[in-house]
Amino acid sequence: MILTVTLNTALDITYRVRALRPHTSHRVTEVTERPGGKGLNVARVLAALGHEVTATGFAGGATGRSLRDQLARTPGVVDALVPVEGATRRTVAVVDGTTGDTTQLNEPGPVIAPAEWSAFLDAYEDLVASAAAVALCGSLPPGVPVGAYAQLVRTARAVGAPVLLDTSGEPLRRGVAARPDIVKPNADELAELTGSHDPSVATRDARRRGAHTVVASLGAQGLLAVNAEGRWRAVPPRRIQGNPTGAGDSAAAGLLAGLVEHLPWPQRLARAAALSAATVLAPVAGEFDRRTYEELLDQVAVTGEATAA
Amino acid sequence: MILTVTLNTALDITYRVRALRPHTSHRVTEVTERPGGKGLNVARVLAALGHEVTATGFAGGATGRSLRDQLARTPGVVDALVPVEGATRRTVAVVDGTTGDTTQLNEPGPVIAPAEWSAFLDAYEDLVASAAAVALCGSLPPGVPVGAYAQLVRTARAVGAPVLLDTSGEPLRRGVAARPDIVKPNADELAELTGSHDPSVATRDARRRGAHTVVASLGAQGLLAVNAEGRWRAVPPRRIQGNPTGAGDSAAAGLLAGLVEHLPWPQRLARAAALSAATVLAPVAGEFDRRTYEELLDQVAVTGEATAA
């Protein structure tokens, strides 16, 4: 199975209103709720691709129960979330039906107690032992040590499970130093980590910091992957208009699927780029338009070269 | 006990943000959750005044469980909510920390199935038998017949329980015709019911339609009460600045408390006006500033006359 870790899970709520006018009252015309947080989005995409996935992280309170109820109805995803005392945070996305724009309200999330973090580490140690790959995704909730991802990378590497790390800021900086197999920053996260806005310079620097493979998601410029074996760029055939939320999570799912299927890097990248583009057409993160995905899979242009052995 | 009915209960969520900017992302700095819906606000105020209260209506889903968990921690309020399949609606109030203004997002609420409405009617019939007074408050959720309040008024009158009705639109129009003891419209609701913006004309018309006593809440002009025994106006000594949400519900609680304590009308109105004003100083509906309430109680000016016998 593939193990995804979401320490800062969320119940993602989407409200549609006719038009958002600050300081007035609105009747919400449509409400949707989904398990959220980057690792849960990755898990849902992997499951939709036919992979066995186990999702861990934290869940608590009434919102955590709602999240787990919904996860239980997601075929292919095994719930291994660790219960906590605090309530799982909500995120509320208010979609303006007139303009299509979204206003986002994100709760801070519960404080994780030291005993809860210890319980998670025990659960994680058991789970990585049978994982074909591990995804560590998203921000850290309050109470979790900033070096958490570094510790989780080391635990996975100790049992030989390859690790993808997708986070930002100081947790990324520390996590990279623990030598994960793949990091998947976007342009901003990569620049923040390395101090360089030049993707060639920045990916080289991120590798020097400890990542075996750096896959930078560069928006319309597609994906740039660099490792000891080579350097590739994958660009979808056309720009797709829609909701980019979750596109990066689908790219991560594509990379993990390619990894456990032992695909060569150009094929992994084609899959990640096609999934990412097909997610832009889906209404919510963690879902993708399957027809677009299958159609784009052969059309993604992958250029690059393997390093001479 | 006093029975309060809230057919369209809500989990009232308040988010504080630094400044609300549409179409951007916000970190919520403070989250509060309260049982909501007008009848539950009335119940909480009555309980704080020392009355035994039973709260009925509908609750369902994870949001309904949260609401009931919180109600269980409210001393003096007995939970007699009827379970439904659909999830209790949320309301989200986004408070702009810079301006203090509030943007309100109200979910529509679950559709009540015919069998659920029947189950409620059975529960209600049992509860009114031991009620000293009944409050019927707020809007009707989808699926409940528009004549619901008329039916509930008749059931209560059949067992001799006095009824206060606080709703609007067609449910109010039909409910009034069933001859409730008290209706408590605000100026807009009264004008919508009667077609007149003149409170003297409108209260007379509302009585002609079936209400024994009409208590109109007229904002800064205080409360105007008219019935067969007389006509009174109660005005607080000063205008209080704050959050008016729930002020009307506190007025209803004051009227009910006065009713079951057999206070003369001028004292009932003083209590209702003082509670209403003291609620403006509380951060959320269903709560009031006790010191302000006690201070205002003797300062509310009640003028009027009893009708010659």
Side-chain angles (χ1 to χ4, degrees), chain A residues 191-277:
Chain A
E192 196 197 353
L193 174 67
T194 62
S196 170
H197 286 273
D198 176 334
S200 293
V201 175
T203 47
R204 199 182 313 135
D205 182 80
R207 288 202 61 229
R208 197 179 44 76
R209 287 167 180 274
H212 181 262
T213 300
V214 179
V215 182
S217 54
L218 305 173
Q221 277 100 62
L223 300 172
L224 172 65
V226 184
N227 61 20
E229 296 92 57
R231 175 188 170 84
W232 302 270
R233 189 185 283 268
V235 183
R238 59 181 190 272
R239 185 148 176 69
I240 292 176
Q241 296 289 327
N243 170 15
T245 314
D249 303 332
S250 291
L255 295 174
L256 286 160
L259 186 159
V260 300
E261 296 174 37
H262 306 290
L263 298 182
W265 269 100
Q267 284 181 47
R268 294 190 199 182
L269 291 172
R271 189 178 283 203
L275 273 175
S276 183

Side-chain angles (χ1 to χ4, degrees), chain A residues 136-210:
Chain A
L136 306 174
C137 302
S139 59
L140 300 178
V144 167
V146 70
Y149 283 136
Q151 186 174 1
L152 300 184
V153 169
R154 282 192 296 267
T155 305
R157 284 175 50 83
V159 297
V163 185
L164 178 145
L165 175 63
D166 185 8
T167 186
S168 60
E170 190 61 20
L172 172 59
R173 186 182 306 275
R174 301 211 187 187
V176 164
R179 313 190 70 78
D181 295 82
I182 306 173
V183 293
K184 196 213 66 55
N186 63 27
D188 288 344
E189 290 160 352
L190 186 61
E192 196 197 353
L193 174 67
T194 62
S196 170
H197 286 273
D198 176 334
S200 293
V201 175
T203 47
R204 199 182 313 135
D205 182 80
R207 288 202 61 229
R208 197 179 44 76
R209 287 167 180 274

Side-chain angles (χ1 to χ4, degrees), chain B residues 238-281:
Chain B
R238 58 179 190 274
R239 185 149 176 69
I240 291 177
Q241 295 290 327
N243 171 16
T245 315
D249 304 331
S250 291
L255 295 174
L256 287 161
L259 187 157
V260 300
E261 295 174 38
H262 307 290
L263 298 184
W265 269 101
Q267 284 180 47
R268 294 192 199 181
L269 291 172
R271 189 178 284 204
L275 272 175
S276 183
T279 297
V280 172
L281 288 178

Side-chain angles (χ1 to χ4, degrees), chain B residues 123-213:
Chain B
Y124 176 78
E125 206 167 328
D126 287 349
L127 290 165
V128 285
S130 51
V134 178
L136 306 173
C137 302
S139 59
L140 300 178
V144 167
V146 70
Y149 283 135
Q151 187 173 1
L152 301 184
V153 169
R154 282 191 296 268
T155 305
R157 283 174 51 83
V159 297
V163 185
L164 178 147
L165 175 62
D166 184 7
T167 185
S168 60
E170 191 60 22
L172 172 60
R173 186 181 306 275
R174 302 210 186 187
V176 164
R179 313 190 71 77
D181 296 81
I182 306 172
V183 292
K184 197 214 64 56
N186 62 28
D188 289 344
E189 290 160 354
L190 186 61
E192 195 196 353
L193 174 68
T194 63
S196 170
H197 286 273
D198 176 334
S200 293
V201 175
T203 47
R204 198 183 314 134
D205 182 80
R207 289 200 61 230
R208 198 180 43 76
R209 289 168 179 271
H212 181 262
T213 300

